Structure formats: structure tokens, C-alpha cells
Amino acid sequence: MELQSGQNIALTQNLLRITVSYPKAATFGSDVDASAFMLTAQNKVRGDDDFIFFNQPAAPNGSLSLTTSGERSLFSLDLSKIDADITKIAITLVIDGPDSISGLQEIQLNVEGVAVFNVPLADRSEKALILGEVYRHNSGWKLRATGQGFSGGLEPLAVNFGVDVSSPSPVPAPVITTVSLEKRIQEKAPRLISLAKTATVCLTKHNLQSARAKVVFVVGASGSLADAFTNGNVQAMLERAAVLAMQLEGVDNMEMWGFANKHRKYPNVTLDNLEGYVAGIRNSDRIDESEVLPGLGYSNNEPPILEEIIKTFEHCDLPVYVVFITEGNISRTRAIKDAISRSSHYPIFWKFVGLGGRDYGILAELESLTDRRINNSHFFAVDDFSTLSDERLYDLLLEAFKDWTQAAKQERILR
């Protein structure tokens, strides 16, 4: 029997095999994760054990389990073992990446031997779905075909189930984000797993485990930073920022700029291109061997790239966290101050990082800058990158960000 959206059917058996199929179109580059929420009459999970996903594939009592292979997932469900206070099991699908569900060839929920539901996909832009619900009805169980979408992905899906993602709760959003991040890293860049775990610890330490933000990476490319490019320090900073970006935004896609006399936006940083990324952009289109990044010149000119970032993100829906790498030798003080001051009216936070340089000028004195709406920047210098632990680096990166988000919300810069 084929079900339509909203249609339900009685279930006459306790043992169910529910297959979710989601073949991808050729241009689809995101991850797809099927999961299940076991819900009480209040439409809430009772705790972590009620969230069944790839890293927790079975309920403790064996009533529900998940196996995934390729572009399909199988839920094995024994209704006779479901705890009495669970009234509903929601089967869900989440797109983890820039694509939406319309990028899939199809989404099918197949309760073997019972019914099939093909989710309508035309002209849809959501990133998460409740595919169907198995729910108690009188003394038995029923299946409902749902197909309800959520544009923002996993977070609004969790909120729909009564999860308060802004405070501790049975299944907080950061737990889901962390698991998803570790899965992506394990598949594409396993050497960064320990880095991801360290970032998680530091986010929690700074009470930012529920924070969401878009991370942008900007790196200076004047001659003074040539050694940092050559010895791998810039690549190392990029990797640490990329992991933080995945933690805060939940997507594997960090925007990247370089600047010297001129500035340029480079391809977004993903787990697919992260390894060797810096060497790749250094060796592309190279004409002048003396330039650190081809075509950008030799000395630093901060104001144009500051203005470019402001123009790009002044209307962003998420807080924008800019990791700005510089070697110092700051000279355009007035223009820099004006840009930072003006950007304080927008959802943009600047984290200036001095990398083995000197004479950081106004960047090291931003705490005393009073001519702005709120304090929207922070600076620290790394004199010797090789002696700095990852935990200490993340602590420095996260310092002052929480204070800025609170001030920005009070000023209604952030919602």
C-alpha cells in the first residue's frame, strides 16, 4: 500500500523493518543521516537513550536499532518492547551540508510488508524531515506518513520535539552537532578527530556549547608572514579554524580570504580540500615567486579586506566570527578603527590573531576603542605556534566571544 502525506494505517504486527532510502543526485555533496526520536506524550525525549542515530544505533532495551549502508538506513523495531511511557517514534532524515532535500533523487519510507511512503520533493528547500511516525492508538499502534520539513536542519527539528537548544536538555543540539562533526571527520579527515574533541571541550568550558555562528578565515599574505606559510603554521591555524567552524555552524564549508596590497576570496574550505589547502592556493596561478599568495602583492593593507567582510556579512542571519591572521606592522590606524567601529552595528565579531610578528598597533589596543556601539573584537598574539597547545589556542580563540554575543543580543544586533 502506498501512503500519501498525512495518511495513517493500523499496524497489526509487533516486529517492523522500516527502510529509509535516499539516493543522491550527481551534484549532491552533503551527508544524509537517518535517525529516530522516541517520544513521550509531551512530544519530548526522556534522555539521550531515546535518540537513535549512527553513533548510538540501538535503544538500551533492544526495542529499536539502526543500521546504515550506502544510501539507505534500516530501523528494526519491536513494539512489544517499547516502554509504556513512549507514545511515539518519529523517523527523521537530516541533510548535513549545503544541499536541501530536493537534491536527492527520492526519499522513500518503506515499512516492509505494510506500506510505502514516497516523500514529495519538487520545489522543496528543507534540510530536515519527519518522514513518518509510529504511534500508540487505543490499545494498538498506527503508522502515519508525515513528510514534514524544517528549513534550518536539525535544530528546528529538535525544537519541534520540545528540546530547548539554548539550555541543557535531554538531547541538546551540541551533542548532535558534535556527533555529526566527528562522523564527517572520521570519514574524510580522521587525523583531526582529537582536534574536534578538544574544540568541543573548550566550547563547553566557555559556555558556548549551544552557540551557532558562521566562521570566516582571513589571512595576511605580506612578506613578513612568508615563514608562517612555509613552516605550516598558517595551514595549522586554518585547520583549527575549520574544525571550529563545523562546530559552530554545523556545516563543512568555511569561507576564506587572503590579503596583502590586494585581497581575494578563495574557494570555501571543506574536509575534502582542507589537507594541503594552503599549499594549493600558493601554487595556483603563480607568476611572481616573491609573493606569498599569487597576485596579492607584498605589504599588508587591512582596510579594504575589512570593508569587504563587512559588506559581505552585514545582513547575515547568524553571528559572524572572523578569524583574522596578521603578522603586524599595522599602519592604517584611522581606517582600521573606522571599519571596526562601523561594524559594531552588525553581527560581526573580529578575532585578530598575531602570528609570530610584531608592531600590532591598533589591533592590540582595541579594548580601549570607545567609539563603537559594542565591543566587537579581541586580539591575541602567538609568538611561537609550536609551543601552544590546541586547548590553549581554542581558549584564546573563544575568549570574549560569549560577552560579545550577549551584548549584541541586548542591543538587538543579534536575535
Side-chain angles (χ1 to χ4, degrees), residues 163-181:
V163 177
D164 181 3
V165 298
S166 64
S167 61
S169 55
V171 184
V175 172
I176 300 169
T177 301
T178 299
V179 169
S180 180
L181 169 64

Side-chain angles (χ1 to χ4, degrees), residues 274-297:
L274 179 56
E275 185 168 1
Y277 183 96
V278 170
I281 63 174
R282 292 197 72 191
N283 294 327
S284 63
D285 304 322
R286 178 170 291 282
I287 298 176
D288 187 342
E289 292 293 332
S290 63
E291 289 182 316
V292 176
L293 287 177
L296 299 191

Side-chain angles (χ1 to χ4, degrees), residues 43 150 154-166:
N43 217 37
F150 297 83
L154 186 56
E155 182 173 327
L157 183 64
V159 170
N160 180 75
F161 293 137
V163 177
D164 181 3
V165 298
S166 64

Side-chain angles (χ1 to χ4, degrees), residues 308-330:
E308 175 80 4
I309 297 298
I310 295 169
K311 180 180 178 181
T312 302
F313 297 108
E314 61 185 351
H315 300 303
C316 189
D317 292 334
L318 283 176
V320 178
Y321 178 103
V322 184
V323 179
F324 195 105
I325 308 297
T326 176
E327 90 292 354
N329 296 313
I330 305 300

Side-chain angles (χ1 to χ4, degrees), residues 36-94:
F37 291 85
M38 304 176 71
L39 307 170
T40 66
Q42 290 72 42
N43 217 37
K44 294 183 179 181
V45 294
R46 299 167 302 179
D48 291 350
D49 289 343
D50 290 340
F51 178 44
I52 307 304
F53 60 111
F54 65 87
N55 207 36
Q56 183 172 269
N61 66 356
S63 60
L64 178 61
S65 64
L66 166 67
T67 57
T68 297
S69 177
E71 297 175 337
R72 59 179 295 188
S73 296
L74 171 65
F75 294 93
S76 298
L77 179 59
D78 186 346
L79 296 176
S80 67
K81 294 182 179 180
I82 299 295
D83 293 339
D85 55 343
I86 294 298
T87 63
K88 183 192 300 181
I89 298 98
I91 307 299
T92 70
L93 194 75
V94 173

